Amino acid sequence: EVAKKRQRFYVTFFILKWVKNMRAFYIFKIKEEVQKLYFDSPENLYHILKYLYYLRKRENTDGVGFFHQLVDIIDKHSLNRQIFIKYHKERVYSKLGNIHVINDLYRDEISSLNIKFSYILLECNQNTSSFFSILSNTSDYFFICDFMNQDYFWLSDAKVLV
């Protein structure tokens, strides 16, 4: 049983890496006071995070302090547990370590969610993911950026269809 789940996970993860037009959503848990400041002007928050995203690749130490002023630490263990409890009986779901994968042929969805302490990386073949529904129930302060497609939104503003 465990070997079959692990094999299914690796097959799904391999497919996920080779599917074209994957969107990479970076999900940040924004501090409450920052959220109040930027809620009506998310484009400003997006441009700050985009600057820090590209700065991180060149000069990692310069933006770390500023980044921590904007973003809260994610309770990685609690969120991993919540997602696992919600999806572990679903046939379309698999998990290995901190990586959660949904491979739903009926909804034509392949999503991979990797939880870090400072952000969550969601790779998805669609503009939305089943993972958005559980994330929207855990916090009102998630801000989502797709730097490659220059897209951004508050998760609380997204219409999640399940």
Side-chain angles (χ1 to χ4, degrees):
E1 179 69 28
V2 173
K4 284 183 181 180
K5 272 191 162 185
R6 188 168 294 206
Q7 181 182 12
R8 189 174 57 191
F9 173 84
Y10 284 121
V11 168
T12 302
F13 195 71
F14 179 76
I15 292 169
L16 180 69
K17 292 301 176 190
W18 289 98
V19 171
K20 295 184 185 205
N21 300 325
M22 294 296 288
R23 294 196 64 178
F25 294 105
Y26 288 84
I27 305 170
F28 303 97
K29 186 176 181 184
I30 303 298
K31 291 188 176 184
E32 183 177 358
E33 59 272 11
V34 176
Q35 191 257 5
K36 289 178 182 175
L37 186 64
Y38 288 108
F39 189 78
D40 293 328
S41 57
E43 64 278 355
N44 294 331
L45 180 59
Y46 168 75
H47 288 296
I48 292 169
L49 290 170
K50 181 179 176 185
Y51 173 78
L52 292 173
Y53 173 76
Y54 287 108
L55 179 71
R56 183 178 55 146
K57 291 181 177 178
R58 293 181 301 216
E59 305 158 6
N60 195 12
T61 58
D62 292 345
V64 172
F66 186 53
F67 179 78
H68 288 297
Q69 291 176 2
L70 298 172
V71 176
D72 262 339
I73 301 248
I74 296 169
D75 187 354
K76 180 176 172 176
H77 304 295
S78 174
L79 190 53
N80 269 325
R81 183 163 170 73
Q82 286 177 328
I83 293 171
F84 180 74
I85 288 171
K86 177 168 179 156
Y87 290 114
H88 77 281
K89 292 184 180 177
E90 300 289 327
R91 185 164 178 78
V92 298
Y93 172 79
S94 56
K95 176 184 185 295
L96 187 64
N98 293 324
I99 301 174
H100 305 263
V101 174
I102 291 179
N103 186 6
D104 190 344
L105 299 175
Y106 298 109
R107 293 188 60 220
D108 191 29
E109 176 187 354
I110 301 173
S111 296
S112 168
L113 186 82
N114 191 351
I115 301 172
K116 309 282 188 178
F117 285 113
S118 57
Y119 68 95
I120 300 168
L121 176 61
L122 171 64
E123 293 177 291
C124 187
N125 66 334
Q126 296 183 355
N127 292 330
T128 187
S129 171
S130 300
F131 289 121
F132 284 162
S133 65
I134 195 163
L135 290 175
S136 67
N137 293 330
T138 60
S139 176
D140 292 330
Y141 305 115
F142 282 124
F143 187 69
I144 301 174
C145 301
D146 179 353
F147 297 114
M148 298 303 289
N149 292 305
Q150 299 182 8
D151 192 12
Y152 54 90
F153 54 93
W154 291 101
L155 184 57
S156 59
D157 287 348
K159 301 205 176 356
V160 180
L161 304 173
V162 180

